[in-house]
């Protein structure tokens, strides 16, 4: 019941958010929150650390942008193609990577993702270092004009909520319970007769597809796609979001995504405010030190909040109860 009330309050806040917060920023937050939740499905509930999720996020963005701009397809078709592209890349990458475990699995996903990065760097339709520009928003189902930021926001909110609901349903399904068993004790899951490789591959593809959905939606929102989204640093960023928010929690990745993105977009303003309050001029350059600040946050979370922000809060509330 408490969870339902919390979800209701959060949904109500999201419905009125574009009246208070810049809609583009809110849509970007929703896309990255879905991306982080999709990644958490793999690492938090299956125990597989992928360092190649940028391939699904950025690859889907390129395919969706190409479909909408160069082929003139509608937004829903472009997003669908992007999502399918992310899942297809995940199928190929997962089929190769799940043959190994631990650090070897992680390094294989990183290597394959970087190979895809160079493919997009050289491909003509991506625009190379200039990126895929001027992606039109078009009309949803040929009727709803997405040129309005407010209209598009509610479409993105619907996509994000649907993606999150699918993740929650997956985690609490029998399939999700098997994934947890694989994470906790893979040899025992094998001894019980489960085809562990099949379950891990399905989880990998599902995570890749949802990451692709987030990436394709982000391209529609911003109207462009660049190499930043397929670079390994994007994979590192989603790892950071998940760890800061809370690994293996449903809400944690959302909190982590909000914290990291708000810092990236508002750190300069925060620095200026601190400089005025404390009269310390150094704070004016805080906006240029985003990587240092996020690094410090990561170190603090690893040392003091190993479960992440949401995980630690949940653990402490559980002890009090």
């Amino acid at each position: 019941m408490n969870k339902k009330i919390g979800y209701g309050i959060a949904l109500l806040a999201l419905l009125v958010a574009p009246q208070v917060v810049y809609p583009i920023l809110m849509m970007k937050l929703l896309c990255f929150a879905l991306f982080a939740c999709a990644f958490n499905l793999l690492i938090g509930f299956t125990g597989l650390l992928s360092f190649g999720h940028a391939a699904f996020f950025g690859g889907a963005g390129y395919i969706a942008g190409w479909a909408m701009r160069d082929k003139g397809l509608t937004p829903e078709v472009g997003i669908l193609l992007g999502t399918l592209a992310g899942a297809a890349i995940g199928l190929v990458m997962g089929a190769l990577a799940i043959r190994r475990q631990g650090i070897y699995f992680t390094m294989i996903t990183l290597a394959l993702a970087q190979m895809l990065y160079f493919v997009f760097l050289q491909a003509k339709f991506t625009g190379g270092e200039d990126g895929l520009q001027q992606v039109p928003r078009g009309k949803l189902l040929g009727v709803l004009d997405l040129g309005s930021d407010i209209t598009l926001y509610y479409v993105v909110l619907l996509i994000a909520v649907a993606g999150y609901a699918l993740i929650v349903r997956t985690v609490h399904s029998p399939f999700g319970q098997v994934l947890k068993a694989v994470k906790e004790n893979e040899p025992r899951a094998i001894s019980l007769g489960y085809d562990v490789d099949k379950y891990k591959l399905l989880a990998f593809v599902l995570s890749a597809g949802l990451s692709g959905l987030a990436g394709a939606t982000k391209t529609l929102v911003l109207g462009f796609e660049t190499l930043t989204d397929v670079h390994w640093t994007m994979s590192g960023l989603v790892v950071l979001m998940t760890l800061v928010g809370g690994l293996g929690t449903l809400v944690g990745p959302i909190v982590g995504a909000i914290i990291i993105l708000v810092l990236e977009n508002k750190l300069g303003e925060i620095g200026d405010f601190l400089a005025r309050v404390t009269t310390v001029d150094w704070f004016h350059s805080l906006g240029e030190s985003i990587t240092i600040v996020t690094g410090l946050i990561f170190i603090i979370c690893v040392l003091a909040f190993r479960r992440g922000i949401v995980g630690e809060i949940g653990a402490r509330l559980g002890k009090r109860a």
Side-chain angles (χ1 to χ4, degrees):
M1 182 62 72
N2 290 335
K3 286 185 178 180
K4 290 182 179 180
I5 294 174
Y7 282 140
I9 294 173
L11 182 58
L12 183 62
L14 287 171
L15 288 173
V16 301
Q19 309 301 327
V20 181
V21 184
Y22 185 43
I24 298 294
L25 176 60
M26 283 302 304
M27 287 186 277
K28 192 176 177 180
L29 283 172
L30 289 172
C31 291
F32 274 99
L34 178 58
F35 182 31
C37 288
F39 175 75
N40 184 52
L41 178 64
L42 190 65
I43 185 175
F45 296 100
T46 314
L48 298 175
L49 174 56
S50 165
F51 222 85
H53 261 55
F56 319 132
F57 185 73
Y62 272 120
I63 297 301
W66 167 79
M68 290 184 284
R69 188 194 70 175
D70 297 346
K71 297 301 179 181
L73 298 177
T74 55
E76 66 275 10
V77 176
I79 291 176
L80 177 61
L81 288 176
T83 304
L84 292 175
I89 296 169
L91 179 61
V92 175
M93 188 181 294
L96 295 171
I98 62 170
R99 300 170 185 267
R100 296 292 181 266
Q101 296 180 348
I103 190 65
Y104 301 104
F105 171 88
T106 304
M107 289 299 100
I108 290 172
T109 58
L110 174 60
L112 292 173
Q114 281 302 99
M115 287 174 60
L116 195 65
Y117 167 82
F118 287 107
V119 170
F120 285 119
L121 176 62
Q122 299 295 329
K124 292 183 179 179
F125 79 94
T126 65
E129 295 183 353
D130 294 329
L132 187 71
Q133 304 288 338
Q134 297 180 337
V135 177
R137 290 183 175 180
K139 293 185 177 181
L140 186 68
L141 301 173
V143 177
L144 190 62
D145 188 3
L146 300 181
S148 167
D149 288 343
I150 300 296
T151 303
L152 181 59
Y153 170 81
Y154 289 111
V155 172
V156 174
L157 177 60
L158 179 62
I159 292 172
V161 170
Y164 180 74
L166 176 59
I167 292 171
V168 173
R169 181 69 187 92
T170 300
V171 168
H172 294 300
S173 69
F175 172 72
Q177 298 306 309
V178 175
L179 295 182
K180 292 178 184 178
V182 171
K183 177 190 176 185
E184 295 297 329
N185 194 330
E186 186 172 331
R188 186 170 183 272
I190 294 173
S191 69
L192 291 173
Y194 292 109
D195 188 344
V196 170
D197 286 347
K198 182 180 75 174
Y199 278 94
K200 289 197 292 188
L201 181 59
L202 286 172
F204 197 94
V205 173
L206 180 58
S207 177
L210 288 168
S211 298
L213 175 61
T217 305
K218 175 176 171 288
T219 298
L220 176 65
V221 169
L222 300 181
F224 62 85
E225 183 59 77
T226 64
L227 291 170
T228 302
D229 286 347
V230 288
H231 196 258
W232 69 266
T233 52
M234 182 59 69
S235 296
L237 185 64
V238 75
V239 172
L240 178 62
M241 291 175 179
T242 307
L243 291 179
V244 168
L247 189 68
T249 64
L250 289 170
V251 181
I254 300 175
V255 174
I258 292 172
I259 291 173
I260 299 301
L261 283 183
V262 168
L263 282 175
E264 284 189 348
N265 286 271
K266 301 297 182 180
L267 190 58
E269 296 178 15
I270 295 172
D272 291 340
F273 172 77
L274 291 175
R276 289 196 300 271
V277 172
T278 63
T279 66
V280 177
D281 291 337
W282 177 83
F283 282 119
H284 284 299
S285 61
L286 196 60
E288 302 172 4
S289 309
I290 179 62
T291 54
I292 297 174
V293 174
T294 52
L296 287 173
I297 291 173
F298 177 72
I299 293 171
I300 292 170
C301 284
V302 169
L303 295 177
F305 305 99
R306 292 194 175 185
R307 298 185 186 94
I309 295 172
V310 173
E312 286 292 336
I313 292 173
R316 295 188 181 187
L317 290 177
K319 287 181 180 180
R320 289 180 182 179

